[in-house]
Structure formats: structure tokens, C-alpha cells
Amino acid sequence: MALVDTKEMFKKAYKGHYAIGAFNVNNMEIIQGIMEAAHEEKSAVILQASEGARQYAGQPYIVDLVKTAVKQFPEVPVALHLDHGASFEMCKECIDGGFTSVMFDGSKLPYKENVKITKQVVEYAHAHNVVVEAELGRLAGVEDFVSVDAKDAIFTDPEQAAEFVALTGCDSLAIAIGTSHGAYKYSGEPYLDYERLQKISDLLPNYPIVLHGASTVIPKYVAKCNEFGGKVLGAKGVPEEMLRKAATMAVCKINIDTDIRLAMTAAVRESIYSKPDNFDPRSYLKAGRQAVKEMVIHKIREVVGSSNSI
């Protein structure tokens, strides 16, 4: 099976009241761990690369690694997605380079400018059979270099969201209802605005909604990082039961990045600490790959709920 876009997987997810996990990838081991988990759980997945991942690994490496993974597990529907594309030019590079889905993130722009560029991306993407995710509203967290309670973020206005989709023709929409980027998501209590999500769903029936900043910051990985020399202090993520509820509503895509980093880092730290004489990267990276696999299996089963959906 070749790479696919997200249209069919979102349609099935909406009808089945689950979401698709969108996992950020940066290297071979992360891709392998995610794909092994998807294969075992019989779940579609979205592998997404950020601007940072493209700079780190190089876009051709990411594309070819993902294509190799698809050949190894042809029964798993896989979309390759650009996460947080900052410009039309970046989205175009990914569309031309083999991505099947791109996100243009104009959430920090004035509304009219966000509409204008999103529409431009949509027109180019659709002409090349690629789907587009856009964003309206703004998440707090690491990307904003602030630590604020979720209730202080700029939440998405439901009426404006419906207007935005009509004006741009985007295929899915990332909204702000209380999630936050990074490992330090909340200074207060975790909060998701389900009423706002329901209003958006009512105005956009059967339309796929996306949640960014949805890592749980799993305590066992934080503890293991710290046990073996790390300093991940005070991290707090989105409770899994909150995300699971959102996945039963209109949310069809849940982004997970921080938990992948924590799982892999914890395993690598433990491996190196436990065997200080070992200098073989294959050993500690294998441990990292296994940790990613186990974490993704957990997310598929308990958070997005997509097990046995293919």
C-alpha cells in the first residue's frame, strides 16, 4: 500500500467515535516503533514531521524512511503530514516532496491573513491530491514561551471556525479548547472546553477536528528520566480520560510529540546509565525504539481508541 491522505481514516474515525493518533517523527527508530505498534493494534496512523524534524533529518530522509515503513506494513493506512507549516512555501515543498497531508499554521496571523494563505495552500494542495489542516485559535505553552493556565489561552470562536472552513476549504481544523504545547502544559488544573467543541461540531457536522498539544506527559517516563540523571521537573499534561472523551466527539486527530520524546529519552537514559561501558548506539537506541512502541500501543488503546479499526 502507498501512503494515503487522511480523508478516509477521518471519515471512519468520526463514524466510529475514535480518533487517529498523529505521532511526530524525527528518526528511523521512532518511525519503526510507531509502525510496529500500529501493526500490532491494527490501527491507521499519521506520521508527522515538523519544521524542526525536516531541518534535523532532512525531508528526503523522512519521506523515504516512511515509505520503507509502509512497504514493511502494507496493511496499515499511513498518512505523512507536515506539522505546523509556517508558510505557503514550506507547505509547497512538502506537497512536491511526497507528503500526503500538510498543515498551514496561520494561528498567529491576523484572521484575514490566515484565511488568505490557508486558501492559497488549499488550492495548491488539492490540485496535487493532498489534504490540508489549518488552525484557528492559539495554544499556550512552549511555543509561546509562556506558562499559563489553559483557560487563559486564546480559544477558538465557533462561529468564526465555521466561517473559516467555508472561506478556505481546508479539510480539517485544529482548534484551541484547552490543550497546550510542550511538557509544562498547565500552571493550574487541566481543562478542556467540551461545550465549545460541541458548538463547533454542531456548526460543522461530520467535519474532522484536530487537537494539538495533547501529550499526557506520562508520569512513569518523567520519573524514569529523572531517576537516570534527567531534570524534567513539574511537567503536567492532558489527562487521558479528557482526550478519550474528545475523541468520542468531533476530534478525529490527536497530536502526540512530547510523550514520544519522554519515552525514548527515558529508555536511552536508563540503558546508558545501567551499562556505562556500552558505547554501541544500536543497544540504547533499540531500547528507545521499544519504549516508543509500548507508549504508542498505550495511546492507541487508551487515548485515541483506534485499535482494530482496519
Side-chain angles (χ1 to χ4, degrees), residues 20-34:
I20 303 296
F23 301 97
N24 283 67
V25 299
N26 295 282
N27 61 17
M28 181 184 74
E29 287 78 15
I30 292 174
I31 292 170
Q32 289 173 326
I34 295 168

Side-chain angles (χ1 to χ4, degrees), residues 12 35 52 99 104 129 165 170 190 198 205 210 307:
K12 289 180 66 176
M35 289 299 296
F99 283 58
F104 171 66
N129 298 313
V165 170
C170 61
Q198 187 61 54
V210 177
S307 295

Side-chain angles (χ1 to χ4, degrees), residues 138-160:
R138 187 182 303 171
L139 275 63
V142 171
E143 71 169 3
D144 296 326
F145 302 101
V146 292
S147 177
V148 297
D149 190 273
K151 292 183 180 180
D152 295 325
I154 302 174
F155 282 14
T156 304
D157 176 81
E159 285 76 18
Q160 193 177 58

Side-chain angles (χ1 to χ4, degrees), residues 180-201:
S180 180
H181 290 106
Y184 306 93
K185 297 182 184 298
Y186 304 106
S187 58
E189 290 301 311
Y191 169 80
L192 290 185
D193 192 339
Y194 297 113
E195 183 178 352
R196 186 178 300 267
L197 173 60
Q198 187 61 54
K199 287 180 181 178
I200 293 171
S201 176

Side-chain angles (χ1 to χ4, degrees), residues 211-290:
L211 284 187
H212 284 237
S215 281
T216 307
V217 189
I218 299 173
K220 74 173 183 178
Y221 294 125
V222 174
K224 185 176 285 190
C225 280
N226 294 338
E227 180 183 355
F228 296 106
K231 291 185 178 180
V232 185
L233 305 175
K236 184 188 293 186
V238 186
E240 292 182 343
E241 61 271 18
M242 288 187 175
L243 296 170
R244 187 70 194 96
K245 180 177 178 179
T248 66
M249 300 171 70
V251 172
C252 294
K253 175 175 178 275
I254 293 180
N255 286 18
I256 298 162
D257 184 11
T258 298
D259 282 338
I260 290 176
R261 300 184 190 195
L262 286 170
M264 188 166 201
T265 300
V268 169
R269 279 190 174 277
E270 180 181 25
S271 180
I272 292 174
Y273 185 92
S274 302
K275 300 177 181 178
D277 60 334
N278 176 36
F279 54 88
D280 187 348
R282 292 171 297 185
S283 175
Y284 52 78
L285 290 177
K286 181 179 179 180
R289 178 175 63 195
Q290 181 63 25

